[in-house]
Amino acid sequence: MANKRGDNGPPVAGPSNPTSIRNVVFVGPSGSGKTTLVERLLAESSTIARQGSVQEGTTVCDHETAAVEQQRSVGMAVAPLWHGDTRINLIDTPGYADFVGELRAGLRAADAAVFVVSAAGGADATTRAIWHECARIGMPRGVLVSRIDQPRSDVAAAVESCRSAFGPGVVPLYLPRYDGDRPVGLHGLLTGGAHDYALGDTPATAARTGLSDAETEAASSELIEGIISGSEDDSLLENYLAGRHIPEETLLSALETAVARGGLHPVVPVSAETGIGVRELLDGIVRGFPTPREHVPPESTTPEGGDPRVLECDPDGPLAVEIVHTSVDPYVGRVSLARVFSGTLLPDRPVHVSGHAPKGRRRPEHDSEERVGHVHTPLGAGLREVPHCVAGDLCALTKLGAAETGDTISDPSTPLLIQPWDVPDPLLPMALTARSGTETDALSRGLNRLLAADPALRLDRSTETHQMVLWCMGEAHAEVILHRLRESGVTVETEPVRVAFRQAFAKRAAGHGRHVKQSGGHGQYAVCDIEVEPLPRGSGFEFVDRIVGGAIPKQFVGSVEKGVRAQLERGVQPECPLVDVRVTLVDGKTHSVDSSDAAFQAAGAAALRDAAERAGLLTLEPVDEVEIHLPDVHLGAVLGDLSARRGRVLGTEPEDAGWTVVRAHVPSTELTRYAVNVRSLSSGSASFTRDFAGYEPLPG
């Protein structure tokens, strides 16, 4: 059962200086142990009294009902702790690819990323893609090798896997110590100290490391060389080459510089079950990871998009806060998780809320004035009130009516708009319908709440297929969305997604339209003759007037065109519009009394139907251009699958080492579940985009 949100005790003091804050996001594949590790860190720091269990559904971060039932994270969660005088905001993110939107939000909130890799598995393709994404945005990264106490674990092999996947900057900061096959402690390569956990989860200084001198000396040299190279400190290099002793504090300072610059990625082995490496990880985060002051905030502008500026992480600077996550709680309503990039957020103050839709999303932009109520520090689902939230820190705000994920909160006197982070396009459509007509409004309200919270969703209301289509990232994402809707009391069902077809004329033809009615008084009289001619795909509709001699008065020529257009939109077959045609009005007859606008509209529509019967119609299906990014090893399987889907490959070209980009035209009907299929074909590593390319004749 999900944890109940609410205030967990009296107000607590928060940090007042950004240098005493670390924001760290945990990234890694599903099952690598991220949530369990966060739980252990909270227990180790006495933030919680007892470590919870993923299997029992008692962890702080997996508080949502769907996460408890599925025993995996389905959303990002923040869990702060204190380690000495430093506040560490731990950000737990889902490892499953469907929840990449939650991962991107976690990356936005953090200043550094810890990649959690299982000692029994190593780095997978999805984790590798996220690593390169972090490198692109310049985020400092470290590596945590988890589950070192599990059967078949091999720390050395896991480190080599990471080095192969991430690059040569991956260097161990500690080496595990063993008693037989059982890990009992760590050896610090920078300090030379041995940490013994054999007697419990509190490390003691060990007299012997259990490792050979050659092994530790080689690993220590590799680490020091990596620190010097990553920090780009010439004086350190000179001292090292001269064989001079370099003080530990100097190396620790250089370590932080090297990590902040992205040139070094320290590795720490950890067991969340036994506690090995937990304290060392906390020490490493505090001493080796950058503070928020060293993280350049995203660019901001005015709400209108002008006057670009770069903010600084200054508690006395202009207020600039971004909503990085939104949830709707049944007890306290909307909860907005916020990152303060500049200034200090105070309770009970007026603020300006600026919102804009991510690229390709249909959401109205909004600017409004609101008042911040209480400011809280979140702990999973729990909230504790704090007197303020300074630049560099994370907080939770309740009952902000207009704020949505990605929105900016600023001072009303100087409103700002922070540039949004990239969110991938959702590519798995799901048609939703309320079980009864009386619940349609409830479904719309529920969807609007979800759209405000999750930028990785898109809603289309099709006027052609009369369906409400929600686009998700994948099956797991769709399942969670349905769970949230039903949990909020909305009775929702799914149905197959329909694709809108078109029709076109197969050849040139003539059409005759006659609309004559007489029922006493004024009647209706209109006759027209047209010629139709198919046009190239994508040309649309053209109407040509070739009436001579006044056979049809000018005021009724427009009526014929209006009737033809209406019939084209309706189609000869229901819900199948006619496209790409030139209609030429060549002749007609009129009556001085009975002719009217309505009569000629009806005659124009009848003439088009007559021409369609004579010419015959081609059914056209929508075709999308897809661009697939995938490892070379899966290229053959993906190309074969595209062929089976009636796809036409436009070309392939190499991307990064070992990766290929495939471009192809594929019928839209074949892409309904392609987000699931291509992931299955590529072991979860491939990604794709799709854009409408046009219509092509449906094979007979």
Side-chain angles (χ1 to χ4, degrees), residues 111 137 291-299 310-313 341:
D111 301 310
I137 62 177
T291 72
R293 284 194 185 276
E294 299 168 79
H295 179 194
V296 178
E299 185 180 275
V310 177
L311 302 168
E312 294 183 357
C313 184
F341 286 107

Side-chain angles (χ1 to χ4, degrees), residues 117 244 335 376 409 419 492 546 596 667:
V117 177
R244 301 188 191 100
V335 179
H376 303 87
I409 296 175
Q419 297 305 299
V492 60
R546 288 189 183 164
S596 65

Side-chain angles (χ1 to χ4, degrees), residues 26 172 273 411 584 618 649 654:
F26 285 84
E273 298 297 328
D411 192 289
T584 303
L618 298 174
V649 176

Side-chain angles (χ1 to χ4, degrees), residues 285-346:
I285 290 174
V286 171
R287 305 188 72 173
F289 278 3
T291 72
R293 284 194 185 276
E294 299 168 79
H295 179 194
V296 178
E299 185 180 275
S300 68
T301 65
T302 62
E304 294 75 28
D307 190 21
R309 67 188 73 179
V310 177
L311 302 168
E312 294 183 357
C313 184
D314 180 4
D316 297 321
L319 184 65
V321 182
E322 187 172 36
I323 304 299
V324 295
H325 189 264
T326 308
S327 59
V328 180
D329 187 271
Y331 302 101
V332 298
R334 182 176 294 190
V335 179
S336 302
L337 179 66
R339 164 73 190 249
V340 181
F341 286 107
S342 174
T344 299
L345 186 63
L346 298 171

Side-chain angles (χ1 to χ4, degrees), residues 543-565:
F543 185 83
V544 180
D545 174 16
R546 288 189 183 164
I547 292 293
V548 294
I552 297 179
K554 287 293 184 183
Q555 67 266 31
F556 294 137
V557 171
S559 302
V560 175
E561 180 180 358
K562 190 182 298 183
V564 168
R565 285 184 179 274

Side-chain angles (χ1 to χ4, degrees), residues 345-351 370-375 397 400 409:
L345 186 63
L346 298 171
D348 196 31
R349 299 293 176 89
V351 293
E370 295 202 45
R371 178 174 289 274
V372 172
H374 297 300
V375 179
L397 308 173
L400 278 178
I409 296 175

